[in-house]
Amino acid sequence: MESLRKLTQVIATLLTNGYFLFPQTKNIYQGPLKLLCSPGLNCYSCPASTTYCPIGAIQQILLGVRFSFESGSYFFSSYVVGTIGLIGTLSGRITCGWLCPFGLLQELLYKIPIGKKLEVPYVLRYLKYFMLIAFVFLFPLLLTNDWGMGKPWFCKYVCPAGTLEAGIPMLLLQPDLRATLGFLFYNKLFWMFIFLIWSVVTSRPFCKTTCPLGAFYGAFNKISFIKLELVKANCTECGACAKVCPMGIQFNKDEGSAECIMCMRCMKEACQFGAIQLTYGGSSLSAQQRISKNNTV
Amino acid sequence: MKKNTKNTRLRFATLLPLIVFLALFLFGINAGEPQRVLEQAWNICLDCIGIG
């Protein structure tokens, strides 16, 4: 299962960053695929990016919402919020575990064998909700300049994926941009290094503490169409699920947790008693597998 | 009986947001928002990458 997940993560990363002509064009992809939403956090200003980043797109629309309303266009990011809402309702936070390029990078960094690994203080996990509500929705909408324009706060001041996937590559591709470097870039570079170094000692620190997209998807974990469920009758409360969880949760004590990225390691690697099952639309996948096995026999 | 009620509630809890987000998605398409998203995504966002 873990190999399948890694393969899926790599394929998703290549599909959302599949424009390999950028060294020739020295620019970002400008084709029709950019109409599609990247399910994970993936900067659309990355030269290889083929899709749009939902978090970036929401901010870009909200910061100019006054102009849009004045010109008679009712753009308030309903298309983007609708898209990620549909993804969240159907699959919860499974996107974080299986499709997010920045999640994959953090997992690879965590594999570096260095000293003792650390856990994130639980209180820091609430920061991502502040990022979602304030930096993605409220600040771009409400904190405007004299002309009524806001700023993409999360992208501008925080997003390490943007610096890594877009900022640094664009500076290499377009040397003229280097003349504009200043505090903004160095601030973002600082945060990028913090998260990359932190990822070596802590599992997925950005997902746990800061990612607004993870915060959004996590809200659907209890009600999503695809989800992990606890079979209470089978659970011995041995705690084996907590030992393998990359998000540091104990499934039997926190079923449907907003932190769960549905990597399914607890179900496949840890639980020996069949106490965790994958369900879709209320039907157990393991039960379906048993039925199909019986039919084959 | 209790389990059935719980399942119905869960299905409703899944269906309601599904319908709401589908409506938002369709409203956005009807308002022409995808074109706006496309235009944005075709341009390098200097703010977003920490330059400018």
Side-chain angles (χ1 to χ4, degrees), chain A residues 15-17 29-45 49-57 79-80 83-84 87 217, chain B residues 25 29 33-42:
Chain A
L15 284 176
T16 48
N17 294 286
Y29 169 71
Q30 292 174 320
L33 287 176
K34 278 247 165 117
L35 200 62
L36 300 176
C37 176
S38 163
L41 196 76
N42 191 59
C43 185
Y44 63 64
S45 291
S49 175
T50 51
T51 49
Y52 76 83
C53 170
I55 293 298
Y79 170 68
V80 186
T83 306
I84 56 171
I87 296 172
Y217 287 147
Chain B
F25 176 75
I29 290 177
E33 209 176 272
Q35 188 58 35
R36 175 87 179 88
V37 170
L38 196 60
E39 282 162 14
Q40 280 166 5
W42 279 345

Side-chain angles (χ1 to χ4, degrees), chain A residues 27-28 30-31 34-35 45 52 60 75-79 82-83 85 89 155-156 166 170 180 184-185 188 220 223, chain B residues 10 13-14 17-18 21 24-25 27-28 31-34 36-38 40-45 47-52:
Chain A
N27 207 344
I28 62 173
Q30 292 174 320
K34 278 247 165 117
L35 200 62
S45 291
Y52 76 83
Q60 287 293 338
F75 300 155
F76 54 92
S77 72
S78 61
Y79 170 68
T83 306
T89 317
C155 296
K156 190 166 183 167
M170 288 314 296
T180 61
L184 266 184
F185 182 75
K188 290 232 330 170
F220 300 95
I223 57 158
Chain B
L10 267 176
T14 309
L18 198 70
F21 286 118
L24 274 175
F25 176 75
F27 178 83
E33 209 176 272
R36 175 87 179 88
V37 170
L38 196 60
Q40 280 166 5
W42 279 345
N43 293 308
I44 301 167
C45 171
D47 269 345
C48 302
I49 59 181
I51 305 166

